[in-house]
Amino acid sequence: MLTTLIANNMKNLYFIFLFAFFNSSSQNDAKIIFLFEKEKDILVSNQIEDIYKIDGKHTFKFIRGKHEKVEVNYSSLKEKVITYDEFIRQNKDKKYPELFTHYSFYILMKQKDSTACLIQVEKFWMVEDKIID
């Protein structure tokens, strides 16, 4: 009985989070979610930030204290995931790199079972493997 109550409350919390997630921050910013695949993507961490390298060439950073990480149900967001190439293709008419200012970026990192971690990130560019903003 108690486990059923806890499970129902968790489902309600997921729903509330997803509702808030898609209606939060700037209403003009579209939310873009990239899938982090442990087999081919790279994660480098230090005390201040985490650097996510998608497809070995597209870099995003999570800054502790500025960005958020939240555990979610993977299946609730998997339909919203887009590849970086799809994102660029959909924005081919917009100026590069200014097009990145119109979006809020997230990395979805699948965990065990049906859970995932949704990580708010920002795009940044590396020149010769040196970080620039």
Side-chain angles (χ1 to χ4, degrees), residues 4-68:
T4 304
L5 181 62
I6 291 171
N8 287 337
N9 284 338
M10 290 302 292
K11 288 179 186 176
N12 290 338
L13 286 174
Y14 282 134
F15 174 76
I16 291 168
F17 167 75
L18 290 174
F19 179 77
F21 169 71
F22 286 105
N23 290 306
S24 67
S25 65
S26 173
Q27 293 295 328
N28 297 329
D29 288 355
K31 275 96 174 144
I32 302 297
I33 303 173
F34 299 117
L35 181 63
F36 183 87
E37 299 178 73
K38 293 179 183 178
E39 306 81 40
K40 68 177 192 173
D41 297 329
I42 299 168
L43 169 60
V44 178
S45 296
N46 63 36
Q47 292 179 338
I48 300 168
E49 61 193 13
D50 295 335
I51 307 296
Y52 295 89
K53 200 169 212 182
I54 306 296
D55 294 333
K57 56 189 169 207
H58 314 293
T59 50
F60 297 86
K61 67 180 169 181
F62 166 83
I63 302 170
R64 288 172 186 72
K66 178 179 178 184
H67 298 129
E68 296 181 22

Side-chain angles (χ1 to χ4, degrees), residues 37-123:
E37 299 178 73
K38 293 179 183 178
E39 306 81 40
K40 68 177 192 173
D41 297 329
I42 299 168
L43 169 60
V44 178
S45 296
N46 63 36
Q47 292 179 338
I48 300 168
E49 61 193 13
D50 295 335
I51 307 296
Y52 295 89
K53 200 169 212 182
I54 306 296
D55 294 333
K57 56 189 169 207
H58 314 293
T59 50
F60 297 86
K61 67 180 169 181
F62 166 83
I63 302 170
R64 288 172 186 72
K66 178 179 178 184
H67 298 129
E68 296 181 22
K69 287 184 182 183
V70 151
E71 189 172 300
V72 296
N73 184 311
Y74 177 75
S75 62
S76 65
L77 288 178
K78 72 178 181 182
E79 298 297 321
K80 306 256 186 243
V81 171
I82 186 172
T83 67
Y84 190 88
D85 291 338
E86 286 177 61
F87 168 72
I88 295 298
R89 216 175 1 264
Q90 289 177 2
N91 288 283
K92 66 181 178 216
D93 298 336
K94 295 180 182 169
K95 281 185 85 172
Y96 185 90
E98 291 84 15
L99 71 97
F100 291 97
T101 61
H102 302 291
Y103 296 96
S104 297
F105 294 100
Y106 296 83
I107 301 282
L108 186 64
M109 185 179 286
K110 189 169 182 185
Q111 297 172 330
K112 59 185 173 183
D113 302 326
S114 61
T115 62
C117 186
L118 185 64
I119 305 156
Q120 181 184 23
V121 294
E122 59 188 56
K123 175 71 174 136

